[in-house]
Amino acid sequence: MSAKIYYDSDANLDLLKDKTIVFLGFGNQGAAQAQNLRDSGIPNEKIVVANRPDHYAEDAKSKGFNVEHDFAKAAKQADIIFLLIPDQVQPRVFNNEIAPNLKDDACIVVASGYNVFYKLLNFKPSQDIVMVAPRMIGSSVRSLYVKGKGFPCFVSSEQDGTGKALELALALSRAIGATKAGAIASSAREETAMDLFAEQALWPNIIMLFREAFSVLKEAGCSDEALCYEMWMSKEPAEIFERAAEDGFIRQLKHHSTVSQYGQLNGALNLDGSAARAHFKDILYNQVLNAKFQQEFSKIEDDLEKEGDANPLEILYQKSEASELGQAEKRVRARLAGLLAQ
Ligand code: NAI
């Protein structure tokens, strides 16, 4: 299955003419996307940053944006509204303060599929819901735009209330600089499935493999210092992934020694992936796509704002850092602070 890729030539910026565009949030993505959009020629007087009074609002003001603290007032003006506050606060803020005040034909833009896929936001059927989801952190969304380069981005129309949802999504993608290198046609379902799968299946396994590998090698007499450097502090894994993005996931191995290439290719081919595949399918279907995780997560969301042991994330950190790997790294970092600072 190959996806359609949209370029600048597929997008018409004229569709944004005379539209009032509201950015709800001026954080990682909000600050980057609002500045890119303005630099693409959208007049500053047509852009409103809706932000509670905090340092993000001050940042927006210092960059010359019109800041509105009253979300209802901002929503009433919006022809297009980007939801760029954290995913877990979007349902509360959007459903209580934004949705009741939005125009019937407003276009709502999300940068992540989560709340749309799990149907946590109250939209009207007449509204356009689109996803413009950069695959980069906000600072890169901005710096690549400033350098005249594009960045990877997923785009989709999730609800076509006006008949123009996809065209608007493409115009907005172009305005934030996302169609320059090609924006990939996707969906909230696909984006959410891949994102949560990576977070709940792939990376937990990688963390587990590092943890177990550390213990086995330590038991065989390797020192904490050598292990930490060998496994990640040298930044070798980061370089490998950079090469994988540039040269290819498998072809990057050409940069390794012959012994390493042989060991890695032969070792991976000899591993039976069926248990991992079954585990991955279980997570994907019985935890992510069936909303089990989302329902459990929404029960603890409020606790994530709490301090210390009342915060479940804090407990997870404490347990994870109590592992052999976690304790060893702490000691190594304290001993080698000078070396690490270089
Ligand atoms: P962020 O964490 O940087 O958001 C900060 C902004 O949210 C600030 O403007 C702050 O005033 C506002 N905010 C925070 N809590 C609030 C509350 N309780 N009520 C009202 N406003 C509140 O958000 P980020 O990381 O930019 O994420 C925004 C969206 O972009 C999310 O949907 C996220 O999944 C998506 N995204 C984020 C990426 C990233 O680089 N972090 C990458 C791609 C997509």
Short mmCIF file of all heavy atoms in Angstrom, two decimals, residues 25-30 51-52 54 56 71 83-87 89-90 92-93 111-112 134 136-138, ligand 1:
data_model
loop_
_atom_site.label_atom_id
_atom_site.label_comp_id
_atom_site.label_asym_id
_atom_site.label_seq_id
_atom_site.Cartn_x
_atom_site.Cartn_y
_atom_site.Cartn_z
N GLY A 25 -2.88 27.57 21.93
CA GLY A 25 -1.60 27.07 22.43
C GLY A 25 -0.44 27.62 21.63
O GLY A 25 -0.50 27.73 20.40
N PHE A 26 0.61 28.01 22.37
CA PHE A 26 1.81 28.57 21.74
C PHE A 26 3.03 27.87 22.35
O PHE A 26 3.98 28.49 22.78
CB PHE A 26 1.86 30.09 21.98
CG PHE A 26 2.76 30.83 21.03
CD1 PHE A 26 2.36 31.09 19.71
CD2 PHE A 26 4.01 31.28 21.44
CE1 PHE A 26 3.19 31.77 18.83
CE2 PHE A 26 4.86 31.97 20.56
CZ PHE A 26 4.44 32.21 19.27
N GLY A 27 2.94 26.54 22.40
CA GLY A 27 4.06 25.76 22.96
C GLY A 27 4.98 25.26 21.87
O GLY A 27 5.28 26.00 20.92
N ASN A 28 5.41 24.00 21.98
CA ASN A 28 6.34 23.42 20.99
C ASN A 28 5.84 23.63 19.57
O ASN A 28 6.52 24.22 18.74
CB ASN A 28 6.44 21.90 21.21
CG ASN A 28 7.18 21.56 22.48
OD1 ASN A 28 8.26 22.07 22.73
ND2 ASN A 28 6.58 20.72 23.30
N GLN A 29 4.63 23.11 19.30
CA GLN A 29 4.11 23.18 17.93
C GLN A 29 3.46 24.53 17.64
O GLN A 29 3.61 25.07 16.54
CB GLN A 29 3.08 22.06 17.71
CG GLN A 29 3.69 20.68 17.63
CD GLN A 29 4.61 20.51 16.42
OE1 GLN A 29 4.37 21.04 15.35
NE2 GLN A 29 5.68 19.76 16.60
N GLY A 30 2.72 25.06 18.61
CA GLY A 30 1.99 26.32 18.37
C GLY A 30 2.93 27.44 17.96
O GLY A 30 2.68 28.14 16.97
N ASN A 51 -4.36 31.84 24.42
CA ASN A 51 -3.49 31.23 25.44
C ASN A 51 -3.82 31.75 26.82
O ASN A 51 -4.08 32.93 26.99
CB ASN A 51 -2.02 31.56 25.11
CG ASN A 51 -1.07 30.44 25.51
OD1 ASN A 51 -0.62 29.68 24.66
ND2 ASN A 51 -0.81 30.31 26.79
N ARG A 52 -3.82 30.84 27.78
CA ARG A 52 -4.01 31.30 29.16
C ARG A 52 -2.81 32.18 29.52
O ARG A 52 -1.74 32.08 28.89
CB ARG A 52 -4.13 30.09 30.09
CG ARG A 52 -2.92 29.20 30.09
CD ARG A 52 -3.10 27.97 30.95
NE ARG A 52 -1.85 27.23 31.02
CZ ARG A 52 -1.69 26.09 31.66
NH1 ARG A 52 -2.69 25.53 32.30
NH2 ARG A 52 -0.53 25.48 31.70
N ASP A 54 0.30 32.85 30.74
CA ASP A 54 1.49 32.15 31.24
C ASP A 54 2.68 32.55 30.39
O ASP A 54 2.56 33.47 29.55
CB ASP A 54 1.29 30.61 31.24
CG ASP A 54 1.00 30.03 29.85
OD1 ASP A 54 1.20 30.76 28.86
OD2 ASP A 54 0.58 28.87 29.75
N TYR A 56 4.03 31.13 27.94
CA TYR A 56 3.82 30.91 26.50
C TYR A 56 3.12 32.12 25.88
O TYR A 56 3.44 32.55 24.77
CB TYR A 56 2.98 29.65 26.27
CG TYR A 56 3.62 28.36 26.75
CD1 TYR A 56 3.23 27.77 27.95
CD2 TYR A 56 4.60 27.72 25.99
CE1 TYR A 56 3.80 26.59 28.38
CE2 TYR A 56 5.17 26.53 26.41
CZ TYR A 56 4.77 25.97 27.61
OH TYR A 56 5.33 24.79 28.04
N PHE A 71 -10.83 32.24 25.87
CA PHE A 71 -10.93 31.22 24.82
C PHE A 71 -12.25 31.31 24.06
O PHE A 71 -12.30 31.07 22.85
CB PHE A 71 -10.76 29.81 25.41
CG PHE A 71 -9.36 29.50 25.88
CD1 PHE A 71 -9.08 28.32 26.56
CD2 PHE A 71 -8.31 30.37 25.62
CE1 PHE A 71 -7.79 28.02 26.98
CE2 PHE A 71 -7.01 30.08 26.04
CZ PHE A 71 -6.76 28.91 26.73
N LEU A 83 -5.59 23.13 17.27
CA LEU A 83 -5.58 22.71 18.68
C LEU A 83 -4.16 22.27 19.04
O LEU A 83 -3.76 21.14 18.76
CB LEU A 83 -6.55 21.55 18.90
CG LEU A 83 -8.00 21.77 18.47
CD1 LEU A 83 -8.87 20.62 18.96
CD2 LEU A 83 -8.55 23.10 18.99
N LEU A 84 -3.41 23.19 19.65
CA LEU A 84 -2.00 22.88 19.93
C LEU A 84 -1.67 23.02 21.41
O LEU A 84 -0.64 23.59 21.79
CB LEU A 84 -1.10 23.75 19.03
CG LEU A 84 -1.27 23.44 17.53
CD1 LEU A 84 -0.48 24.40 16.66
CD2 LEU A 84 -0.89 22.00 17.21
N ILE A 85 -2.59 22.52 22.22
CA ILE A 85 -2.31 22.35 23.65
C ILE A 85 -2.14 20.85 23.88
O ILE A 85 -2.50 20.06 23.00
CB ILE A 85 -3.44 22.97 24.53
CG1 ILE A 85 -4.79 22.34 24.20
CG2 ILE A 85 -3.49 24.48 24.33
CD1 ILE A 85 -5.93 22.82 25.12
N PRO A 86 -1.58 20.43 25.02
CA PRO A 86 -1.31 18.99 25.20
C PRO A 86 -2.55 18.13 24.98
O PRO A 86 -3.67 18.53 25.34
CB PRO A 86 -0.82 18.91 26.65
CG PRO A 86 -0.27 20.28 26.94
CD PRO A 86 -1.13 21.23 26.17
N ASP A 87 -2.34 16.96 24.40
CA ASP A 87 -3.47 16.08 24.05
C ASP A 87 -4.39 15.81 25.24
O ASP A 87 -5.60 15.78 25.09
CB ASP A 87 -2.93 14.74 23.50
CG ASP A 87 -2.27 14.95 22.16
OD1 ASP A 87 -2.82 15.69 21.33
OD2 ASP A 87 -1.19 14.38 21.93
N VAL A 89 -5.19 17.59 27.77
CA VAL A 89 -6.06 18.69 28.23
C VAL A 89 -7.04 19.15 27.14
O VAL A 89 -7.98 19.88 27.42
CB VAL A 89 -5.27 19.91 28.79
CG1 VAL A 89 -4.54 19.55 30.04
CG2 VAL A 89 -4.35 20.51 27.78
N GLN A 90 -6.83 18.68 25.91
CA GLN A 90 -7.68 19.13 24.81
C GLN A 90 -9.18 18.85 25.03
O GLN A 90 -10.01 19.75 24.84
CB GLN A 90 -7.24 18.50 23.49
CG GLN A 90 -6.04 19.18 22.88
CD GLN A 90 -5.62 18.57 21.55
OE1 GLN A 90 -6.41 17.95 20.87
NE2 GLN A 90 -4.36 18.77 21.19
N ARG A 92 -11.07 18.57 27.70
CA ARG A 92 -11.69 19.47 28.70
C ARG A 92 -11.79 20.90 28.14
O ARG A 92 -12.85 21.51 28.16
CB ARG A 92 -10.84 19.44 29.98
CG ARG A 92 -11.40 20.27 31.11
CD ARG A 92 -10.76 19.90 32.46
NE ARG A 92 -9.34 19.58 32.41
CZ ARG A 92 -8.36 20.46 32.53
NH1 ARG A 92 -8.64 21.75 32.70
NH2 ARG A 92 -7.09 20.08 32.48
N VAL A 93 -10.67 21.41 27.65
CA VAL A 93 -10.65 22.81 27.19
C VAL A 93 -11.53 22.97 25.94
O VAL A 93 -12.33 23.90 25.85
CB VAL A 93 -9.19 23.26 26.91
CG1 VAL A 93 -9.16 24.63 26.26
CG2 VAL A 93 -8.38 23.25 28.20
N ALA A 111 -2.94 18.18 15.55
CA ALA A 111 -1.57 17.82 15.15
C ALA A 111 -1.25 16.40 15.60
O ALA A 111 -0.11 15.95 15.53
CB ALA A 111 -0.57 18.80 15.75
N SER A 112 -2.28 15.71 16.11
CA SER A 112 -2.12 14.34 16.57
C SER A 112 -3.49 13.69 16.43
O SER A 112 -4.52 14.36 16.61
CB SER A 112 -1.66 14.37 18.04
OG SER A 112 -2.32 13.41 18.80
N PRO A 134 2.93 17.26 12.08
CA PRO A 134 4.37 17.20 11.80
C PRO A 134 5.01 16.02 12.51
O PRO A 134 4.61 15.66 13.63
CB PRO A 134 4.90 18.52 12.37
CG PRO A 134 3.71 19.42 12.45
CD PRO A 134 2.56 18.52 12.74
N MET A 136 8.00 15.99 13.60
CA MET A 136 9.21 16.65 14.10
C MET A 136 8.84 17.44 15.35
O MET A 136 7.68 17.90 15.45
CB MET A 136 9.66 17.71 13.08
CG MET A 136 10.26 17.20 11.84
SD MET A 136 12.03 17.38 12.00
CE MET A 136 12.60 16.04 11.04
N ILE A 137 9.81 17.66 16.19
CA ILE A 137 9.54 18.54 17.33
C ILE A 137 9.40 19.99 16.80
O ILE A 137 9.89 20.31 15.71
CB ILE A 137 10.65 18.46 18.40
CG1 ILE A 137 12.02 18.76 17.82
CG2 ILE A 137 10.65 17.09 19.07
CD1 ILE A 137 13.09 18.95 18.87
N GLY A 138 8.72 20.81 17.59
CA GLY A 138 8.41 22.17 17.14
C GLY A 138 9.62 22.97 16.72
O GLY A 138 9.59 23.68 15.70
P1 NAI B 1 2.93 21.90 24.61
O1 NAI B 1 3.09 21.01 25.79
O2 NAI B 1 4.13 22.62 24.12
O3 NAI B 1 1.75 22.93 24.93
C1 NAI B 1 1.97 24.08 25.63
C2 NAI B 1 0.81 25.01 25.34
O4 NAI B 1 -0.39 24.47 25.89
C3 NAI B 1 1.02 26.36 25.94
O5 NAI B 1 0.52 27.34 25.06
C4 NAI B 1 0.20 26.31 27.23
O6 NAI B 1 -0.26 27.58 27.61
C5 NAI B 1 -0.96 25.43 26.78
N1 NAI B 1 -1.58 24.68 27.88
C6 NAI B 1 -1.01 23.72 28.64
N2 NAI B 1 -1.88 23.25 29.56
C7 NAI B 1 -3.02 23.95 29.38
C8 NAI B 1 -4.29 23.95 30.01
N3 NAI B 1 -4.55 23.11 31.04
N4 NAI B 1 -5.23 24.81 29.56
C9 NAI B 1 -4.98 25.64 28.54
N5 NAI B 1 -3.80 25.71 27.89
C10 NAI B 1 -2.84 24.87 28.31
O7 NAI B 1 2.19 21.10 23.43
P2 NAI B 1 2.86 20.48 22.13
O8 NAI B 1 3.92 19.52 22.51
O9 NAI B 1 3.15 21.59 21.17
O10 NAI B 1 1.63 19.60 21.58
C11 NAI B 1 0.54 20.22 20.93
C12 NAI B 1 -0.05 19.22 19.94
O11 NAI B 1 0.94 18.93 18.95
C13 NAI B 1 -0.44 17.88 20.57
O12 NAI B 1 -1.59 17.42 19.91
C14 NAI B 1 0.76 17.00 20.25
O13 NAI B 1 0.43 15.62 20.18
C15 NAI B 1 1.12 17.51 18.86
N6 NAI B 1 2.50 17.27 18.45
C16 NAI B 1 3.53 17.63 19.27
C17 NAI B 1 4.84 17.46 18.86
C18 NAI B 1 5.96 18.04 19.68
O14 NAI B 1 6.95 18.45 19.10
N7 NAI B 1 5.86 18.13 21.00
C19 NAI B 1 5.17 16.80 17.59
C20 NAI B 1 4.02 16.57 16.74
C21 NAI B 1 2.73 16.78 17.20
#
